[in-house]
């Protein structure tokens, strides 16, 4: 009996593992070149409802208006939906009853807003650039100039059965599509509103690229220095945060020490100089960027640190950034841990020291010495900060 059981388990293993690998390969092949929908943000106020859909590439959209119930439908073409971005639920808004975001077919992500008032005005447009390469913005309510009324096409009188499988929506009239209202938009006022929606507008942030000058930090197998990687990430992060409306203070912007004493400063004097930048600015948060290292070159992954006697907000900040780095870099999570590091202990605001990856691990050294790796790391930290501010 035991022999039969072992044989059955072995057979299943050899059947299921290749099948699972094939499924993963098919998914990667199918989504290659497609935009990933990474987040959905909702904001209400000033007489309107705003929904922002973030994508990792510029996107094209198609808009439809349906009835019974009244719905504003936006299809995002050549896109796939990340699990963390899927939404389906009621809305606490005077303009809409429900929001649904799901994969409509293998090439289309569909956004459906069940609106409350017939003839309600709306504005749908795309934006490119900044921290998020592609965005779709849906405004419903008092949206002013450039808007169009939410008036259902005559052909659409049937009840929508489901978001993912809806023959009525599939056969929606092209007459209900208004391309002139969906054109890309880059007005400064809307840029500012989007920045506010991400939670970064008006925030004061200090970024500390670890090491510098005479202190190279850890050195990777091929000679890449920690100080060079942290500075490159820091400068890219500074650019992203400023584009989102934040005020950013850098402890260093070039390969140098921070203390006025330069290479003659003690370790405590150098570290205190970094804390002083944030404390003098009265920043909202402080982030110190580092690369980990270990004698065993198989050690790898991302760690978030916060002061052991610090605030709950420090832990939250460390955790949000670590989670986004793991997600976007594909590194192993080593968790969010307490520490007694000088820079998180002597700052007056929520603070974290992030070990982005192991520079001693060949693959992670290579990743973080690439333009793409630097960009992903900076984007991930910015996303973590945005998640922290909510």
């Amino acid at each position: 009996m035991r022999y039969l059981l072992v044989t059955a388990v072995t057979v299943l293993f050899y059947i299921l593992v290749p099948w699972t690998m094939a499924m993963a390969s098919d998914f990667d092949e199918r989504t290659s070149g497609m935009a990933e929908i990474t987040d959905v943000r909702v904001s209400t106020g000033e007489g309107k409802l705003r929904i922002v859909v973030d994508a990792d590439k510029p996107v094209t959209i198609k808009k439809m208006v349906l009835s019974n119930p009244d719905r504003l439908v936006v299809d995002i073409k050549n896109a796939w939906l990340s699990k963390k971005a899927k939404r389906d639920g009621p809305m606490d808004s005077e303009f809409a009853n429900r929001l649904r975001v799901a994969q409509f077919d293998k090439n289309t992500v569909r956004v459906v807003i069940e609106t409350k008032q017939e003839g309600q005005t709306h504005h749908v447009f795309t934006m490119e650039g900044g921290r998020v390469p592609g965005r779709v913005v849906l405004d419903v309510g008092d949206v002013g100039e450039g808007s169009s009324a939410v008036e259902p096409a005559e052909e659409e009188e049937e009840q929508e059965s489901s978001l993912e499988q809806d023959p009525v929506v599939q056969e929606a009239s092209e007459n209900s599509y208004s391309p002139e209202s969906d054109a890309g938009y880059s007005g400064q006022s809307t840029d500012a509103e989007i920045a506010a929606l991400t939670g970064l507008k008006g925030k004061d942030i200090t970024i500390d690229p670890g090491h510098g000058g005479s202190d190279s930090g850890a050195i990777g197998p091929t000679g890449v220095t920690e100080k060079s990687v942290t500075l490159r990430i820091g400068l890219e992060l500074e650019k992203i945060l400023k584009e989102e409306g934040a005020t950013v203070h850098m402890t260093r912007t070039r390969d140098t020490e921070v203390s006025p004493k330069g290479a003659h400063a003690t370790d405590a004097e150098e570290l205190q100089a970094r804390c002083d930048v944030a404390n003098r600015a009265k920043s909202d948060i402080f982030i110190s960027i580092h690369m980990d290292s270990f004698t065993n070159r198989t050690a790898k992954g991302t760690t978030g640190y916060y002061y052991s006697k610090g605030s709950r907000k420090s832990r939250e900040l460390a955790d949000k950034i670590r989670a986004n780095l793991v997600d976007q870099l594909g590194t192993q999570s080593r968790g969010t841990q307490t520490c007694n590091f000088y820079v998180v202990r002597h700052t007056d605001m929520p603070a974290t020291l992030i070990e982005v990856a192991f520079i001693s691990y060949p693959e992670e050294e290579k990743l973080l010495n690439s333009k793409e790796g630097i960009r992903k790391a900076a984007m991930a930290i910015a996303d973590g900060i945005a998640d922290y501010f909510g």
Side-chain angles (χ1 to χ4, degrees):
M1 184 67 181
R2 179 179 294 178
Y3 172 77
L4 291 175
L5 181 61
V6 171
T7 301
V9 170
T10 303
V11 170
L12 282 173
F13 175 82
Y14 282 104
I15 292 174
L16 292 176
V17 169
W19 178 79
T20 302
M21 292 177 66
M23 289 287 287
S25 176
D26 289 345
F27 177 78
D28 291 341
E29 183 178 347
R30 179 173 70 79
T31 58
S32 177
M34 296 173 66
E36 178 185 2
I37 304 303
T38 58
D39 199 6
V40 179
R41 304 176 189 273
V42 179
S43 175
T44 57
E46 298 184 0
K48 67 182 175 185
L49 166 69
R50 166 162 285 177
I51 296 166
V52 178
V53 182
D54 291 344
D56 68 350
K57 293 182 178 66
V59 295
T60 57
I61 59 176
K62 177 180 178 179
K63 182 188 72 179
M64 296 170 284
V65 179
L66 310 178
S67 63
N68 297 323
D70 294 330
R71 288 149 291 162
L72 171 61
V73 179
V74 176
D75 282 347
I76 306 173
K77 299 297 186 178
N78 196 33
W80 66 279
L81 184 66
S82 168
K83 288 183 179 179
K84 65 182 181 181
K86 186 172 182 176
R87 285 205 178 208
D88 186 352
M91 299 194 70
D92 183 18
S93 168
E94 63 180 296
F95 306 105
N97 292 311
R98 190 178 188 90
L99 169 66
R100 284 173 286 172
V101 184
Q103 194 77 39
F104 178 65
D105 59 36
K106 65 181 182 179
N107 298 312
T108 308
V109 171
R110 172 156 291 178
V111 182
V112 177
I113 305 173
E114 291 187 8
T115 55
K116 287 185 175 180
Q117 304 169 26
E118 185 177 347
Q120 202 163 253
T121 56
H122 70 275
H123 189 200
V124 181
F125 56 94
T126 60
M127 296 181 67
E128 298 178 10
R131 179 174 64 90
V132 179
R135 277 189 171 123
V136 180
V137 182
L138 301 85
D139 287 343
V140 179
D142 184 14
V143 296
E145 189 175 347
S147 64
S148 54
V150 179
E151 296 174 350
E154 292 181 3
E155 294 87 346
E156 309 307 332
E157 296 297 335
E158 299 181 35
Q159 176 72 28
E160 180 183 13
S161 57
S162 72
L163 179 58
E164 288 83 0
Q165 297 178 339
D166 181 4
V168 174
V169 177
Q170 288 175 332
E171 297 170 5
S173 168
E174 292 297 323
N175 293 330
S176 64
Y177 173 47
S178 304
E180 68 276 3
S181 69
D182 296 345
Y185 188 87
S186 60
Q188 291 182 350
S189 62
T190 299
D191 287 345
E193 290 178 22
I194 296 296
L197 185 57
T198 63
L200 296 177
K201 182 182 179 182
K203 302 302 182 184
D204 195 294
I205 301 167
T206 293
I207 303 299
D208 173 39
H211 307 282
S214 59
D215 177 11
S216 66
I219 301 176
T222 68
V224 178
T225 60
E226 181 179 4
K227 68 175 182 179
S228 66
V229 173
T230 61
L231 181 59
R232 290 169 66 191
I233 294 173
L235 291 173
E236 181 69 14
L237 177 59
E238 177 191 26
K239 182 174 72 172
I240 293 169
L241 294 176
K242 284 184 174 179
E243 287 174 348
E244 294 288 338
T247 298
V248 182
H249 307 279
M250 299 289 293
T251 59
R252 66 184 183 98
T253 57
R254 54 194 178 91
D255 183 16
T256 184
E257 295 86 358
V258 178
S259 171
K261 294 184 178 181
H264 300 293
T266 65
D267 288 347
E269 287 172 333
E270 172 64 13
L271 295 173
Q272 185 59 50
R274 295 167 187 263
C275 298
D276 289 343
V277 173
N279 293 340
R280 283 196 297 264
K282 297 182 180 179
S283 290
D284 295 308
I285 58 173
F286 172 89
I287 299 165
S288 190
I289 303 171
H290 287 258
M291 291 287 288
D292 222 332
S293 181
F294 194 59
T295 52
N296 183 344
R297 289 189 174 176
T298 63
K300 58 185 178 180
T302 301
T303 314
Y305 287 101
Y306 66 101
Y307 180 38
S308 58
K309 296 181 181 179
S311 68
R312 178 186 59 81
K313 300 297 288 183
S314 289
R315 173 170 186 149
E316 183 180 345
L317 176 63
D319 201 50
K320 297 288 189 185
I321 294 175
R322 177 201 52 77
N324 276 276
L325 281 165
V326 168
D327 183 50
Q328 296 194 37
L329 292 179
T331 51
Q332 174 184 312
S333 175
R334 299 176 68 91
T336 301
Q337 304 179 27
T338 60
C339 70
N340 200 32
F341 297 142
Y342 192 102
V343 290
V344 296
R345 185 158 46 97
H346 289 86
T347 40
D348 299 335
M349 66 289 300
T352 180
L353 186 147
I354 295 293
E355 298 281 8
V356 176
F358 273 74
I359 201 168
S360 55
Y361 184 62
E363 291 183 16
E364 293 184 353
E365 178 202 32
K366 182 179 179 180
L367 172 65
L368 271 302
N369 192 40
S370 68
K371 184 176 180 180
E372 180 67 7
I374 294 294
R375 186 190 69 82
K376 283 186 175 181
M379 286 281 291
I381 295 172
D383 284 345
I385 295 171
D387 288 346
Y388 168 79
F389 283 120

PDB file of all heavy atoms in Angstrom, residues 207-224:
ATOM      1  N   ILE A 207      16.529  61.892   1.843  1.00  0.00           N
ATOM      2  CA  ILE A 207      17.093  60.666   1.291  1.00  0.00           C
ATOM      3  C   ILE A 207      18.587  60.650   1.593  1.00  0.00           C
ATOM      4  O   ILE A 207      19.304  61.605   1.292  1.00  0.00           O
ATOM      5  CB  ILE A 207      16.878  60.582  -0.238  1.00  0.00           C
ATOM      6  CG1 ILE A 207      15.391  60.691  -0.581  1.00  0.00           C
ATOM      7  CG2 ILE A 207      17.494  59.307  -0.799  1.00  0.00           C
ATOM      8  CD1 ILE A 207      14.544  59.604   0.005  1.00  0.00           C
ATOM      9  N   ASP A 208      19.033  59.547   2.150  1.00  0.00           N
ATOM     10  CA  ASP A 208      20.440  59.404   2.532  1.00  0.00           C
ATOM     11  C   ASP A 208      21.082  58.237   1.771  1.00  0.00           C
ATOM     12  O   ASP A 208      20.940  57.082   2.172  1.00  0.00           O
ATOM     13  CB  ASP A 208      20.539  59.142   4.048  1.00  0.00           C
ATOM     14  CG  ASP A 208      21.956  58.806   4.484  1.00  0.00           C
ATOM     15  OD1 ASP A 208      22.900  59.427   3.950  1.00  0.00           O
ATOM     16  OD2 ASP A 208      22.117  57.922   5.355  1.00  0.00           O
ATOM     17  N   PRO A 209      21.787  58.532   0.665  1.00  0.00           N
ATOM     18  CA  PRO A 209      22.531  57.468  -0.022  1.00  0.00           C
ATOM     19  C   PRO A 209      23.727  57.062   0.846  1.00  0.00           C
ATOM     20  O   PRO A 209      24.631  57.857   1.096  1.00  0.00           O
ATOM     21  CB  PRO A 209      22.988  58.126  -1.329  1.00  0.00           C
ATOM     22  CG  PRO A 209      22.126  59.356  -1.481  1.00  0.00           C
ATOM     23  CD  PRO A 209      21.867  59.811  -0.070  1.00  0.00           C
ATOM     24  N   GLY A 210      23.736  55.834   1.330  1.00  0.00           N
ATOM     25  CA  GLY A 210      24.747  55.398   2.286  1.00  0.00           C
ATOM     26  C   GLY A 210      26.172  55.474   1.769  1.00  0.00           C
ATOM     27  O   GLY A 210      26.436  55.358   0.574  1.00  0.00           O
ATOM     28  N   HIS A 211      27.108  55.738   2.713  1.00  0.00           N
ATOM     29  CA  HIS A 211      28.558  55.779   2.456  1.00  0.00           C
ATOM     30  C   HIS A 211      28.907  56.963   1.529  1.00  0.00           C
ATOM     31  O   HIS A 211      28.147  57.904   1.445  1.00  0.00           O
ATOM     32  CB  HIS A 211      29.043  54.436   1.903  1.00  0.00           C
ATOM     33  CG  HIS A 211      28.633  53.290   2.786  1.00  0.00           C
ATOM     34  ND1 HIS A 211      29.290  52.981   3.954  1.00  0.00           N
ATOM     35  CD2 HIS A 211      27.598  52.411   2.682  1.00  0.00           C
ATOM     36  CE1 HIS A 211      28.694  51.936   4.532  1.00  0.00           C
ATOM     37  NE2 HIS A 211      27.648  51.586   3.790  1.00  0.00           N
ATOM     38  N   GLY A 212      30.039  56.942   0.867  1.00  0.00           N
ATOM     39  CA  GLY A 212      30.456  58.046   0.012  1.00  0.00           C
ATOM     40  C   GLY A 212      31.843  58.550   0.347  1.00  0.00           C
ATOM     41  O   GLY A 212      32.323  58.425   1.481  1.00  0.00           O
ATOM     42  N   GLY A 213      32.515  59.135  -0.636  1.00  0.00           N
ATOM     43  CA  GLY A 213      33.856  59.678  -0.434  1.00  0.00           C
ATOM     44  C   GLY A 213      34.862  58.587  -0.103  1.00  0.00           C
ATOM     45  O   GLY A 213      35.000  57.591  -0.832  1.00  0.00           O
ATOM     46  N   SER A 214      35.531  58.760   1.022  1.00  0.00           N
ATOM     47  CA  SER A 214      36.559  57.796   1.433  1.00  0.00           C
ATOM     48  C   SER A 214      35.973  56.475   1.913  1.00  0.00           C
ATOM     49  O   SER A 214      36.694  55.491   2.093  1.00  0.00           O
ATOM     50  CB  SER A 214      37.418  58.406   2.545  1.00  0.00           C
ATOM     51  OG  SER A 214      36.614  58.744   3.667  1.00  0.00           O
ATOM     52  N   ASP A 215      34.661  56.442   2.139  1.00  0.00           N
ATOM     53  CA  ASP A 215      33.982  55.233   2.622  1.00  0.00           C
ATOM     54  C   ASP A 215      33.220  54.595   1.467  1.00  0.00           C
ATOM     55  O   ASP A 215      32.147  55.060   1.084  1.00  0.00           O
ATOM     56  CB  ASP A 215      33.035  55.600   3.757  1.00  0.00           C
ATOM     57  CG  ASP A 215      32.233  54.413   4.278  1.00  0.00           C
ATOM     58  OD1 ASP A 215      32.561  53.271   3.902  1.00  0.00           O
ATOM     59  OD2 ASP A 215      31.277  54.637   5.045  1.00  0.00           O
ATOM     60  N   SER A 216      33.790  53.551   0.913  1.00  0.00           N
ATOM     61  CA  SER A 216      33.165  52.901  -0.250  1.00  0.00           C
ATOM     62  C   SER A 216      31.997  52.009   0.138  1.00  0.00           C
ATOM     63  O   SER A 216      31.176  51.653  -0.713  1.00  0.00           O
ATOM     64  CB  SER A 216      34.195  52.061  -1.008  1.00  0.00           C
ATOM     65  OG  SER A 216      34.633  50.968  -0.206  1.00  0.00           O
ATOM     66  N   GLY A 217      31.898  51.639   1.419  1.00  0.00           N
ATOM     67  CA  GLY A 217      30.919  50.647   1.815  1.00  0.00           C
ATOM     68  C   GLY A 217      31.350  49.281   1.345  1.00  0.00           C
ATOM     69  O   GLY A 217      32.539  49.044   1.094  1.00  0.00           O
ATOM     70  N   ALA A 218      30.407  48.386   1.183  1.00  0.00           N
ATOM     71  CA  ALA A 218      30.739  47.034   0.728  1.00  0.00           C
ATOM     72  C   ALA A 218      31.124  47.048  -0.750  1.00  0.00           C
ATOM     73  O   ALA A 218      30.735  47.944  -1.503  1.00  0.00           O
ATOM     74  CB  ALA A 218      29.548  46.114   0.956  1.00  0.00           C
ATOM     75  N   ILE A 219      31.879  46.041  -1.150  1.00  0.00           N
ATOM     76  CA  ILE A 219      32.332  45.931  -2.539  1.00  0.00           C
ATOM     77  C   ILE A 219      31.921  44.571  -3.082  1.00  0.00           C
ATOM     78  O   ILE A 219      32.144  43.535  -2.448  1.00  0.00           O
ATOM     79  CB  ILE A 219      33.854  46.109  -2.646  1.00  0.00           C
ATOM     80  CG1 ILE A 219      34.253  47.491  -2.098  1.00  0.00           C
ATOM     81  CG2 ILE A 219      34.318  45.965  -4.100  1.00  0.00           C
ATOM     82  CD1 ILE A 219      35.750  47.733  -2.062  1.00  0.00           C
ATOM     83  N   GLY A 220      31.303  44.567  -4.255  1.00  0.00           N
ATOM     84  CA  GLY A 220      30.809  43.336  -4.854  1.00  0.00           C
ATOM     85  C   GLY A 220      31.894  42.502  -5.497  1.00  0.00           C
ATOM     86  O   GLY A 220      33.057  42.944  -5.623  1.00  0.00           O
ATOM     87  N   PRO A 221      31.566  41.310  -5.962  1.00  0.00           N
ATOM     88  CA  PRO A 221      32.530  40.387  -6.560  1.00  0.00           C
ATOM     89  C   PRO A 221      33.279  40.959  -7.760  1.00  0.00           C
ATOM     90  O   PRO A 221      34.437  40.607  -8.000  1.00  0.00           O
ATOM     91  CB  PRO A 221      31.671  39.186  -6.973  1.00  0.00           C
ATOM     92  CG  PRO A 221      30.473  39.254  -6.106  1.00  0.00           C
ATOM     93  CD  PRO A 221      30.228  40.704  -5.848  1.00  0.00           C
ATOM     94  N   THR A 222      32.638  41.837  -8.522  1.00  0.00           N
ATOM     95  CA  THR A 222      33.298  42.421  -9.697  1.00  0.00           C
ATOM     96  C   THR A 222      33.807  43.827  -9.430  1.00  0.00           C
ATOM     97  O   THR A 222      34.219  44.527 -10.356  1.00  0.00           O
ATOM     98  CB  THR A 222      32.344  42.454 -10.909  1.00  0.00           C
ATOM     99  OG1 THR A 222      31.280  43.387 -10.657  1.00  0.00           O
ATOM    100  CG2 THR A 222      31.757  41.078 -11.183  1.00  0.00           C
ATOM    101  N   GLY A 223      33.749  44.274  -8.168  1.00  0.00           N
ATOM    102  CA  GLY A 223      34.303  45.572  -7.809  1.00  0.00           C
ATOM    103  C   GLY A 223      33.307  46.711  -7.740  1.00  0.00           C
ATOM    104  O   GLY A 223      33.698  47.861  -7.513  1.00  0.00           O
ATOM    105  N   VAL A 224      32.027  46.430  -7.908  1.00  0.00           N
ATOM    106  CA  VAL A 224      31.004  47.479  -7.781  1.00  0.00           C
ATOM    107  C   VAL A 224      30.917  47.890  -6.316  1.00  0.00           C
ATOM    108  O   VAL A 224      30.837  47.052  -5.426  1.00  0.00           O
ATOM    109  CB  VAL A 224      29.631  46.978  -8.270  1.00  0.00           C
ATOM    110  CG1 VAL A 224      28.570  48.066  -8.089  1.00  0.00           C
ATOM    111  CG2 VAL A 224      29.710  46.561  -9.728  1.00  0.00           C
TER     112      VAL A 224
END
